[in-house]
Amino acid sequence: MEQLMCFSNEVAVVTGGYSGIGAAAVKKLAANGAICAMIGRSADRAQEFMNSLPEFKGQLYFYQADVSDVEQIEHAVEAIIQQHGSIHMLVNSAGTNIRKAALEYTLAEWKYIIDTNLTGTFFVSQIVAREMKKNKGGRIVNIGSMLSHYGVHNVAIYGAAKGGVSQITRVLSVEWAELGIRVNQVSPGYIKTPFVDLSTPANLGYRDRIINRTPLQRLGTPEDVANMIVFLLSNETDFVTGQIIAVDGGILGGDPTLNPFQKA
């Protein structure tokens, strides 16, 4: 297993790699020898994250870019190639959301959510895959959502974006198989991250309902998701592509009428 999970001298691009699930993936990849090139908007947050991990000095790098801006992504990938020579892995973890009723969304909010979650995932994958093609292969893991699987109140645009990510995952896995590029998706359940704050008093009842309807009876952690991401990037899954795997504590395997995300 140690040999199969070794990423020594391999370069992994991780969008949104300095917070939440992306940060957990970076830590695990670096612990297994990978060079991690993080792409994101906040240089300050990225530097703070890298400073917190002195044990991985020389393995963590940051390239500032907004994933919704194709030109910025192209420049970031060019810089990564210039510095490291090649790209072997990609984790599309950058994401954003605005919660409100479907009747209240604006066109600007539609564009913001779609461009970050869906457009960004596609074009980062496209630009990185061009480099992977030169190396005759690579591995991509997209971060989806439970909203890739069913509908929920107040997240119509985010749900549409993540549903699109699932279909992109399937199509690219088929189209890029001949290039030696594997493409899979991880769909996190309810994970304790800054993106999902259930610690406030107003949310405690909601959190308890989630836990009660989760067969494993707890919320997930970023590390739970990172473990699956890194497994899918490893040589142990060389015959796995086009798959959408939920890391949700068993919610999708339970009673479909007990959707814990819906209003009571």
Side-chain angles (χ1 to χ4, degrees):
M1 177 62 77
E2 289 182 3
Q3 183 179 6
L4 291 169
M5 297 291 284
C6 179
F7 302 108
S8 181
N9 299 318
E10 291 196 306
V11 178
V13 172
V14 183
T15 67
Y18 44 77
S19 66
I21 291 169
V26 165
K27 290 178 185 178
K28 191 165 185 67
L29 284 165
N32 284 276
I35 295 168
C36 296
M38 297 175 288
I39 293 178
R41 290 180 292 200
S42 177
D44 290 340
R45 291 176 64 192
Q47 190 60 56
E48 182 180 358
F49 173 66
M50 291 189 290
N51 289 344
S52 73
L53 298 169
E55 65 270 31
F56 299 134
K57 185 177 181 180
Q59 289 180 258
L60 306 183
Y61 299 84
F62 174 69
Y63 303 85
Q64 191 167 24
D66 185 331
V67 297
S68 67
D69 188 312
V70 174
E71 186 175 350
Q72 289 186 31
I73 292 299
E74 288 176 336
H75 290 322
V77 171
E78 287 173 4
I80 293 168
I81 295 300
Q82 184 175 5
Q83 186 167 8
H84 302 293
S86 60
I87 296 172
H88 305 91
M89 298 172 280
L90 167 64
V91 180
N92 281 304
S93 183
T96 192
N97 191 17
I98 299 171
R99 292 178 175 272
K100 58 168 57 177
L103 291 174
E104 298 175 2
Y105 278 113
T106 66
L107 178 60
E109 289 168 338
W110 170 275
K111 290 181 177 178
Y112 174 65
I113 297 169
I114 293 293
D115 284 351
T116 301
N117 294 285
L118 182 58
T119 308
T121 294
F122 177 79
F123 282 101
V124 172
S125 297
Q126 181 196 72
I127 293 163
V128 169
R130 288 171 179 158
E131 296 300 327
M132 290 178 170
K133 180 181 178 181
K134 298 174 184 177
N135 299 330
K136 302 187 184 303
R139 293 93 76 194
I140 298 173
V141 174
N142 297 322
I143 304 303
S145 168
M146 298 303 285
L147 304 185
S148 302
H149 303 270
Y150 52 65
V152 179
H153 286 78
N154 299 327
V155 285
I157 304 175
Y158 183 78
K162 290 301 187 179
V165 169
S166 294
Q167 195 59 19
I168 284 173
T169 299
R170 295 184 183 100
V171 172
L172 296 185
S173 72
V174 173
E175 188 168 334
W176 293 349
E178 65 182 24
L179 305 178
I181 299 173
R182 296 192 293 108
V183 186
N184 291 290
Q185 175 182 310
V186 173
S187 294
Y190 241 98
I191 309 299
K192 292 183 288 187
T193 71
F195 192 63
V196 179
D197 184 7
L198 295 178
S199 63
T200 63
N203 285 334
L204 290 181
Y206 188 46
R207 183 197 65 184
D208 290 343
R209 191 163 78 252
I210 295 289
I211 293 173
N212 288 338
R213 293 183 178 181
T214 301
L216 291 184
Q217 291 288 289
R218 68 174 176 87
L219 300 178
T221 67
E223 290 72 27
D224 289 325
V225 185
N227 288 338
M228 180 57 70
I229 292 170
V230 174
F231 179 58
L232 289 171
L233 292 171
S234 75
N235 291 334
E236 185 140 308
T237 54
D238 273 351
F239 200 54
V240 179
T241 194
Q243 300 306 302
I244 296 172
I245 300 174
V247 180
D248 68 346
I251 289 174
L252 287 181
D255 185 343
T257 66
L258 297 179
N259 181 341
F261 300 92
Q262 297 286 34
K263 292 180 179 179

